[in-house]
Amino acid sequence: MNTKRCFFKSPSDVKNTAFLTYDYDDASKDDDQWLYLPALKKVKRIPSADKSGSFMGSDFSYYDMTDRNLEDYDFKFIKDTKVYGKDAWMIESTPRNKKTIKESGYTKTIAIIRKDNHVVIRAINYMKNAKKKYMDIKKIHKQNGIWVVDEMSMTTKKGKKMLHKSVLKFSNIKVNTALNDSLFSTRRLEKGL
Amino acid sequence: MKKPMSMLWLLSLVSLLNADALSTDLDGFDDESLNETSQERPSRLIAGLTGKITQQVAFSWHNDAPYENITSLKSSLLLDYEHKFDNGIRIKINAKAYYDAIYSLKDRGDFTSQTLNALEAEVELYDAYIEGKITDSLDYKLGRQVVVWGRSDTIRVTDILNPLDNRRPAMTDIEDLRLPVTMVKLDYFVGNWRITPMAIVEQRFSKNPPFGGDFNPVSFPLPSEERYDDVTYALSIGAEFSGWDINFYASHTYDDAGYIDQSALIPLMVHDKVTMFGTALNVLSGSWLFKTELAYFDGLKYTSTGEQAFSRMDALLGVEYNGISDTLISYDIVTRQIQDYTKKAFSRI
């Protein structure tokens, strides 16, 4: 099981909003997700079957914030290529069923994966409404033997026209740190960072 | 021989078109060089202090003077301070002040004193609490705070601990709707369960539309309200599991609605203590979230029925659907049944 929690410090309209997700390895089991809404002053459980919606108004969706289940996709090697000067593979993944399409909002994804570290550096996510979402990892670094992302962007386009773009920056990343399970609880969600 | 060649040609054409489309799609990546400029936010004058200025305008169609056209021109300032110490203790305090200029812009003499007192200007302390943990499984929260019971976001069945600001129904921001009360709250955690006893040391009641105001049709002012300064108690026991969660509630607190005690020489708005037992349940299924709440109240009194005490059962069924992108559809329905109301009401006559 993967667990994630996010706390929002700014802007002021989302300050103290917090998000907690339990992403189960069993693909048939729905994730558990909760939001702490400071305006309502309560933790609210949210249905998670459709993750295609925008995550906090950004171009990233709830689906983009969770790990993909590989067994939900068929993969096809397209070609060898280069990305940011590094050798890479271009691989197409197609959802095996309508449930995955509905859950993700994507009908197909073309990913460019660096050969030296197996990190997906770029991806084009095709949507039903003829829009495409371009994921682009701009900065990564290796920390204690693990590749971690410093900056990534998601750009929504229709044709060649850019509709919207979000940039996600990471800092103060720590790896291989012992974390107590209690950190990932609704109790901690209410208390803020 | 001719047919396989045609197929080959067709496959080649499809392949070329696909390659061309892919090439076009790949051009969609932004090849701008990375902007390394730091975009750090400027530091605040006082760390932890934030504020918000709001301007609200309300317009009324088809209403009598003085409540025609623009009915509110309210400027608000919210200041919020919070700080978390290294030992995990957090303090939070926020206050809101507002001034509604519409009463001065119109003629203050057209409004009742109750309306001006309630709606023209106010400075209100909202949250003011300190919280932390005593042991790994025991938290405390002391001070003015909001505690939300139940699952519904729209209708209150078990959510009875905080009064509401109803002076302008449906026009109050959701974050200002519940009025904090001073209480001592402990949270004890064991496994998936949370046990929360509370002692409520401040007794306050909902703010209702003032006499003579736009939302109060009564032709006479309500009597003044009795004050209470004793301590009341409440308890919540709840648990969260994968796909569902449940809570049980019990309280012995003052009835927020109250009633007019006409037996006294001077009628008074009084609130009696009411016992409540309740439960709330969430069940998740795919894109659907099913909600239910049940509350049983005992000791309720009404203005029209004097000293007769009633019990009441409230039940809520709700559903949320999140299967459409960026959309949440929610529907809650509540039934409220006062036990033996007719029988007891007629027995008075």
Side-chain angles (χ1 to χ4, degrees):
Chain A
M1 179 175 74
N2 273 319
T3 53
K4 285 194 183 92
R5 62 172 200 169
C6 307
F7 293 95
F8 294 84
K9 295 164 75 176
S10 64
S12 62
D13 61 337
V14 295
K15 184 188 164 198
N16 289 334
T17 301
F19 176 67
L20 173 69
T21 181
Y22 291 177
D23 186 359
Y24 297 103
D25 295 333
D26 180 358
S28 63
K29 189 173 178 181
D30 288 327
D31 296 350
D32 283 309
Q33 293 185 336
W34 295 269
L35 265 179
Y36 175 71
L37 300 163
L40 289 174
K41 293 188 171 68
K42 74 172 183 178
V43 174
K44 183 175 166 55
R45 186 187 278 272
I46 50 174
S48 60
D50 183 335
K51 298 196 182 80
S52 63
S54 164
F55 179 71
M56 300 300 287
S58 74
D59 292 84
F60 295 93
S61 66
Y62 285 91
Y63 192 79
D64 297 325
M65 308 302 288
T66 56
D67 293 328
R68 295 188 179 195
N69 291 311
L70 296 182
E71 59 268 34
D72 287 339
Y73 291 89
D74 288 318
F75 296 91
K76 186 172 86 179
F77 173 74
I78 297 179
K79 63 175 182 180
D80 290 308
T81 185
K82 280 191 179 290
V83 60
Y84 294 119
K86 303 282 186 184
D87 288 334
W89 296 294
M90 188 180 290
I91 292 176
E92 178 184 298
S93 56
T94 313
R96 283 184 177 164
N97 51 51
K98 285 184 179 172
K99 180 176 175 282
T100 306
I101 294 175
K102 182 169 169 49
E103 183 186 28
S104 66
Y106 302 141
T107 55
K108 183 177 80 172
T109 295
I110 291 175
I112 300 173
I113 301 144
R114 256 173 67 167
K115 288 183 180 178
D116 58 335
N117 58 13
H118 297 183
V119 175
V120 178
I121 299 294
R122 283 179 158 177
I124 309 173
N125 298 298
Y126 294 78
M127 303 165 82
K128 273 199 256 184
N129 51 13
K131 290 178 187 169
K132 290 189 273 294
K133 290 209 309 193
Y134 288 80
M135 190 279 292
D136 200 353
I137 291 182
K138 301 275 192 180
K139 283 170 78 177
I140 56 172
H141 75 274
K142 200 173 188 179
Q143 188 172 326
N144 295 0
I146 297 169
W147 286 93
V148 291
V149 175
D150 296 301
E151 183 177 322
M152 64 194 292
S153 67
M154 187 71 88
T155 309
T156 307
K157 291 192 168 188
K158 192 162 192 176
K160 289 186 175 177
K161 186 183 174 190
M162 185 178 85
L163 302 175
H164 204 261
K165 181 176 181 177
S166 301
V167 178
L168 200 53
K169 292 182 179 179
F170 301 85
S171 60
N172 196 21
I173 298 167
K174 291 174 184 161
V175 299
N176 290 334
T177 304
L179 295 174
N180 193 318
D181 283 349
S182 67
L183 286 172
F184 303 93
S185 62
T186 54
R187 173 190 184 186
R188 296 304 295 260
L189 221 54
E190 293 170 7
K191 294 193 179 301
L193 266 181
Chain B
M1 196 68 188
K2 193 176 175 184
K3 199 172 176 183
M5 281 299 286
S6 301
M7 286 290 285
L8 199 61
W9 179 82
L10 190 62
L11 283 171
S12 302
L13 181 64
V14 169
S15 176
L16 275 172
L17 285 172
N18 281 341
D20 193 40
L22 177 60
S23 173
T24 306
D25 289 346
L26 289 170
D27 287 343
F29 280 105
D30 175 15
D31 277 330
E32 287 171 17
S33 60
L34 186 64
N35 182 2
E36 296 283 358
T37 309
S38 170
Q39 295 188 351
E40 290 294 316
R41 292 165 57 80
S43 59
R44 296 192 186 107
L45 289 174
I46 303 172
L49 180 68
T50 55
K52 187 165 71 173
I53 295 169
T54 310
Q55 183 64 51
Q56 180 185 332
V57 180
F59 190 90
S60 176
W61 280 271
H62 305 298
N63 211 343
D64 299 326
Y67 296 107
E68 81 283 27
N69 303 326
I70 295 175
T71 58
S72 178
L73 203 58
K74 192 162 116 180
S75 307
S76 310
L77 170 68
L78 170 78
L79 287 177
D80 180 275
Y81 176 76
E82 65 177 86
H83 181 74
K84 195 165 189 177
F85 296 93
D86 292 340
N87 58 8
I89 293 174
R90 186 167 78 127
I91 55 170
K92 184 178 176 71
I93 183 164
N94 55 45
K96 190 169 187 175
Y98 74 73
Y99 174 70
D100 197 330
I102 198 66
Y103 300 101
S104 297
L105 290 173
K106 291 190 172 180
D107 184 349
R108 294 182 82 249
D110 289 343
F111 300 92
T112 61
S113 59
Q114 289 91 338
T115 301
L116 294 173
N117 287 340
L119 298 176
E120 189 176 28
E122 185 178 73
V123 177
E124 169 98 21
L125 177 68
Y126 277 78
D127 300 311
Y129 60 79
I130 179 169
E131 66 177 336
K133 69 176 185 180
I134 299 167
T135 69
D136 281 348
S137 53
L138 184 62
D139 292 349
Y140 67 88
K141 192 172 181 181
L142 316 173
R144 248 192 175 189
Q145 57 188 290
V146 171
V147 176
V148 182
W149 279 1
R151 298 292 182 272
S152 173
D153 301 328
T154 50
I155 306 174
R156 299 191 353 145
V157 171
T158 54
D159 179 24
I160 60 164
L161 295 183
N162 293 91
L164 299 183
D165 183 352
N166 277 329
R167 288 174 293 179
R168 288 178 172 273
M171 292 171 66
T172 308
D173 265 358
I174 187 81
E175 59 191 335
D176 302 331
L177 186 61
R178 289 184 180 87
L179 301 171
V181 296
T182 307
M183 57 177 95
V184 176
K185 182 166 86 82
L186 297 173
D187 284 300
Y188 180 68
F189 297 87
V190 50
N192 289 330
W193 292 84
R194 174 196 293 221
I195 301 163
T196 308
M198 282 160 274
I200 300 159
V201 298
E202 179 189 20
Q203 308 302 333
R204 60 190 306 214
F205 304 103
S206 291
K207 295 179 177 179
N208 292 312
F211 165 67
D214 204 10
F215 297 97
N216 187 340
V218 181
S219 56
F220 55 89
L222 289 175
S224 56
E225 200 150 45
E226 179 76 284
R227 290 181 175 276
Y228 304 89
D229 54 10
D230 54 340
V231 179
T232 55
Y233 300 94
L235 175 71
S236 164
I237 300 173
E240 285 163 351
F241 304 97
S242 178
W244 67 286
D245 50 69
I246 191 163
N247 272 86
F248 301 98
Y249 307 112
S251 67
H252 190 60
T253 55
Y254 284 101
D255 173 31
D256 184 60
Y259 65 100
I260 300 171
D261 181 4
Q262 299 172 79
S263 62
L265 280 176
I266 303 168
L268 202 61
M269 177 65 87
V270 294
H271 301 263
D272 283 356
K273 282 182 185 169
V274 170
T275 303
M276 189 277 267
F277 297 104
T279 183
L281 176 74
N282 259 346
V283 179
L284 189 72
S285 177
S287 299
W288 298 87
L289 180 68
F290 300 97
K291 304 174 281 185
T292 181
E293 290 185 44
L294 205 63
Y296 173 79
F297 298 88
D298 193 39
L300 291 164
K301 290 181 183 172
Y302 302 96
T303 301
S304 58
T305 49
E307 283 301 305
Q308 292 268 26
F310 294 86
S311 56
R312 195 183 80 206
M313 181 71 88
D314 296 355
L316 175 141
L317 278 176
V319 64
E320 285 181 14
Y321 179 67
N322 195 31
I324 303 169
S325 184
D326 295 322
T327 306
L328 177 70
I329 299 168
S330 177
Y331 185 74
D332 293 344
I333 187 166
V334 164
T335 174
R336 170 174 285 186
Q337 190 173 10
I338 303 169
Q339 313 285 322
D340 297 326
Y341 182 84
T342 311
K343 190 173 138 191
K344 287 185 178 177
F346 274 99
S347 72
R348 264 186 103 222
I349 300 172

